[in-house]
Amino acid sequence: EAFPGRAVFEALGEGQDVDADDVFAFAALRPAERRDDGLWLTGRPRYGDDEDDAVELVAACDGLELDGLRFALSHLRRGEAVLRIGGGADDRVTDTDAFFRDRHPVLRPLPVVPEAERTASAAEAWTRRTIELLAAHPVNQRRAAAGLPDFNVITLKWWGRPRPAPTFPERHGVHGSFVVSSPFLQGLASAVGLEPIDAPETGDARADLRDRIQRIRERLDAGDTFVFSHLKATDEAGHTKDPAVKQRTIEALDAELGTLPTDSAIVCVTGDHATPTYADVIHSGDPVPFLLAGPGVQPDPVETFGELDCAGGILG
């Protein structure tokens, strides 16, 4: 089945009603500098004072209609929002958010298939109209007078729409929950028929992992046959680009893994991607270690957990 798109999961995670007739995109209010070749992103709203300004600016761009398509914005946090497009839109449109903001300006939305030409054209017109609204808004005029960056563009990415798909229990025969902090992962849980369990991250990674392991045990004791848990601390440590920070974070979390319920469940420990501490790389395609342990799992000679060690195991 086609992937519904991350914007759909963000909407579900925020408790929004998701209609299969609508198309969704993840919208981000950003400051940008106009150069000869376009608008170049220069940052993002900060927590604190910028939050109120972002809420007001996003609201000013809500409720536009272009070429018969209705564009509705629902603010999430720090200028980020879910864009819902009704009236017969197509989700097969390219992103305007360049992601690598130092390499490309804000991009023009393009249709991936001919059927999406109307939506792409309307999305471009919507982007240009919101740029006009943001430029004339009193909030941005006040910010400019105070020497603050004005938030003058809204980028779009992660297009998608709800699509029917088998639930996780239907496909895999197990039922259970997601113990996670992000609305995206909570929405993913809802989409695949698992129960989202909110587990905020406090900044104390070791305590957060300890709390998650306790919740996992409680869910298994309550009858769950599958529990997924996610902790973002190692990812954030990698993004500091400081190898010592990453090492300390991994060491702290490793110290807690001895309490995993390997006596009563098959446990998997892994990561979703590599995050090198090399300055010019965000994520990479390097293999990540993968561990299985628990009742009935055949052991191999590997006794330590890491990329090189796990490469010698029976799983490869």
Side-chain angles (χ1 to χ4, degrees), residues 10-291:
E10 291 279 354
L12 286 170
E14 293 290 341
Q16 298 181 19
D17 292 330
V18 173
D19 194 310
D21 292 331
D22 293 334
V23 163
F24 296 81
F26 192 82
L29 178 72
R30 296 288 185 257
E33 177 184 277
R34 185 170 291 281
R35 304 176 191 168
D36 291 342
D37 56 349
L39 282 171
W40 289 77
L41 301 181
T42 57
R44 62 187 302 176
R46 303 164 299 171
Y47 287 112
D49 295 340
D50 286 350
E51 186 77 14
D52 291 340
D53 289 349
V55 169
E56 193 168 343
L57 290 169
V58 168
C61 298
D62 180 31
L64 300 178
E65 184 168 333
L66 296 113
D67 194 18
L69 298 179
R70 301 180 301 277
F71 291 75
L73 280 171
S74 301
H75 186 260
L76 304 176
R77 56 199 168 265
R78 271 204 304 173
E80 295 175 339
V82 169
L83 176 66
R84 180 191 303 258
I85 308 174
D90 195 299
D91 63 316
R92 292 169 290 182
V93 176
T94 61
D95 296 348
T96 64
D97 189 323
F99 191 75
F100 292 103
R101 69 186 189 199
D102 59 332
R103 304 181 191 181
H104 305 283
V106 175
L107 305 172
R108 172 178 291 172
L110 297 173
V112 178
V113 295
E115 294 84 353
E117 289 180 359
R118 174 191 174 212
T119 304
S121 177
E124 180 179 351
W126 178 86
T127 300
R128 296 184 183 278
R129 177 61 181 142
T130 56
I131 288 173
E132 295 171 354
L133 291 171
L134 293 170
H137 199 282
V139 166
N140 271 330
Q141 294 175 355
R142 171 177 54 77
R143 291 181 63 87
L148 298 171
D150 56 335
F151 302 125
N152 52 358
V153 66
I154 299 178
T155 62
L156 302 175
K157 61 182 177 181
W158 301 336
W159 290 74
R161 73 185 320 145
R163 287 181 167 84
T167 66
F168 201 84
E170 288 171 343
R171 172 170 285 177
H172 300 292
V174 291
H175 66 276
S177 50
F178 267 40
V179 182
V180 293
S181 62
S182 76
F184 157 59
L185 288 174
Q186 292 177 23
L188 175 59
S190 298
V192 299
L194 297 169
E195 182 180 351
I197 306 295
D198 186 28
E201 297 196 32
T202 65
D204 184 340
R206 190 167 179 172
D208 292 341
L209 180 56
R210 194 180 307 130
D211 173 69
R212 279 162 168 71
I213 293 174
Q214 178 60 33
R215 289 174 183 246
I216 289 169
R217 287 187 173 274
E218 292 171 355
R219 297 299 302 186
L220 293 172
D221 290 343
D224 282 5
T225 53
F226 175 84
V227 185
F228 172 88
S229 180
H230 175 267
L231 188 68
K232 197 167 177 63
T234 47
D235 180 70
E236 292 176 344
H239 287 304
T240 68
K241 301 308 174 188
D242 185 336
V245 171
K246 185 171 182 179
Q247 179 181 346
R248 288 196 300 269
T249 302
I250 293 174
E251 287 174 346
L253 296 178
D254 279 351
E256 298 297 329
L257 294 181
T259 60
L260 285 167
T262 53
D263 56 331
S264 57
I266 296 175
V267 173
C268 166
V269 178
T270 190
D272 55 349
H273 55 72
T275 308
T277 49
Y278 180 67
D280 293 334
V281 178
I282 296 178
H283 295 159
S284 74
D286 297 291
V288 294
F290 182 86
L291 170 87

